Amino acid sequence: MKKALPSWIQAMPMGAVFTLFFAMPLLLIVAVSFWPQNEYTLEPGFTLDNYVSLFSGCFGGGESGELCTTFKTYLSTLKFCGIVWAITLVLGFTLSYFVAFHVPSLGAQTVLFTIMTIPFWTSNVIRMISWIPLLGRHGWINQTLLDLGLIRQPLEWLLYSDFSVVLAFVHLNTTFMMVPIFNSMMKIDRSLLEAANDCGANAWQTLWNVIVPLCRTGILIGSIFVITLVMGDFVTVGVMGGQQIASVGKTIQVQTSYLQFPLAAANAVVLLGVVLLIIVALNRLVDLRKEL
């Protein structure tokens, strides 16, 4: 009988992939964030000027008493993150609950779940652009409302606004919330629901006291997906916001386009820290390692 290889040898291939494609690029970004800013070349060195520039006027240095640009940008991004997270959680949970508990056939569940994930098969940019003919000043929605006499002039806030950005984010990211929640719901023992019903619990009590606690893992995983995607996104904010709405991802993209790589790296490190703090806070609510 052959002796099994030591666990550390079995883990080496995955460790090598992790180191090459995750750890090394991350360490490189951290290193570049401390390099001096040069207009034409990247020169290794060590300086805190990039972080000082990033938070300039943020700690009592402003004359008008307003928040600095960095804080405003992060607050704007966190606003989108919170709104999109709440909407995708409600939509993802509702759709998953309907398919998991109100569709009796496994085949029908598979078909419905596949239909709901079809938009995920296409490009994010194509799905965003598809909203423009609907939401534009001369789009289908405005034209219909004008024809019905419900409005006298086109609604300007439908496109290139916070509304359109949130709508696009929800459209793009609901799948990432729905899939892990649906997976958690399918693992729930149906006899627990029957026991709750036998004990006199109504539908809402069963939902809140049985289904929701057993779906905590799916909710946490979906929340991590949505939060990380929204926090670092710059394409959606640029396209649906008409290049007029600020976000951290958009700021980093602009900095790299102007070859301000050390400053962009410093901004990326701060963004990573904020996202990690949010994930740590979520993990304090649910012990993901224990649940999995």
Side-chain angles (χ1 to χ4, degrees):
M1 183 176 180
K2 294 183 178 180
K3 186 178 180 180
L5 293 174
S7 57
W8 63 272
I9 294 181
Q10 299 180 35
M12 282 183 63
M14 182 58 68
V17 172
F18 178 83
T19 301
L20 181 62
F21 295 104
F22 179 79
M24 290 182 62
L26 185 60
L27 292 175
L28 180 60
I29 292 174
V30 174
V32 172
S33 71
F34 292 103
W35 288 7
Q37 180 66 46
N38 191 298
E39 295 182 1
Y40 305 104
T41 60
L42 282 174
E43 298 179 357
F46 182 84
T47 179
L48 296 175
D49 290 346
N50 298 312
Y51 291 95
V52 172
S53 175
L54 191 63
F55 292 104
S56 176
C58 293
F59 301 100
E63 298 179 357
S64 61
E66 295 183 355
L67 292 175
C68 65
T69 302
T70 299
F71 281 177
K72 288 181 179 179
T73 304
Y74 272 86
L75 286 176
S76 175
T77 305
L78 289 171
K79 176 190 68 176
F80 286 125
C81 186
I83 295 173
V84 172
W85 171 79
I87 296 175
T88 55
L89 176 59
V90 172
L91 287 177
F93 190 92
T94 303
L95 292 172
S96 300
Y97 178 81
F98 173 77
V99 176
F101 297 107
H102 291 278
V103 178
S105 170
L106 180 60
Q109 289 178 341
T110 303
V111 172
L112 284 176
F113 185 77
T114 302
I115 292 174
M116 288 189 294
T117 57
I118 284 178
F120 183 67
W121 302 352
T122 60
S123 168
N124 287 1
V125 177
I126 294 176
R127 282 185 282 167
M128 280 187 290
I129 294 176
S130 66
W131 284 106
I132 296 179
L134 295 177
L135 303 176
R137 180 178 176 83
H138 302 288
W140 181 83
I141 294 178
N142 270 320
Q143 194 61 48
T144 301
L145 294 175
L146 288 170
D147 293 341
L148 294 175
L150 298 177
I151 57 175
R152 295 184 178 181
Q153 57 184 3
L155 300 174
E156 301 288 350
W157 53 266
L158 289 178
L159 187 61
Y160 304 141
S161 63
D162 289 358
F163 170 79
S164 60
V165 173
V166 171
L167 181 64
F169 271 138
V170 170
H171 181 201
L172 297 175
N173 297 311
T174 298
T175 302
F176 293 100
M177 181 69 78
M178 181 180 63
V179 171
I181 293 177
F182 178 77
N183 184 56
S184 295
M185 286 184 177
M186 293 301 293
K187 294 179 180 179
I188 295 177
D189 189 349
R190 290 335 187 238
S191 62
L192 296 175
L193 307 183
E194 297 177 1
N197 185 55
D198 294 339
C199 292
N202 58 36
W204 285 107
Q205 289 173 328
T206 302
L207 175 65
W208 185 253
N209 295 306
V210 179
I211 296 176
V212 171
L214 294 176
C215 292
R216 290 181 303 176
T217 302
I219 292 173
L220 175 61
I221 295 174
S223 299
I224 292 174
F225 281 148
V226 171
I227 289 171
T228 53
L229 290 172
V230 173
M231 288 293 289
D233 187 281
F234 65 91
V235 178
T236 305
V237 175
V239 174
M240 300 305 293
Q243 310 296 335
Q244 302 173 15
I245 297 176
S247 73
V248 181
K250 184 63 180 175
T251 301
I252 295 174
Q253 185 265 330
V254 171
Q255 290 169 343
T256 56
S257 67
Y258 284 98
L259 305 181
Q260 297 176 334
F261 296 114
L263 186 59
N267 213 344
V269 171
V270 175
L271 175 61
L272 177 62
V274 172
V275 173
L276 288 177
L277 286 176
I278 296 174
I279 293 176
V280 169
L282 291 174
N283 273 286
R284 291 184 66 87
L285 299 175
V286 179
D287 190 344
L288 187 58
R289 290 176 297 179
K290 182 179 179 180
E291 294 291 336
L292 292 176

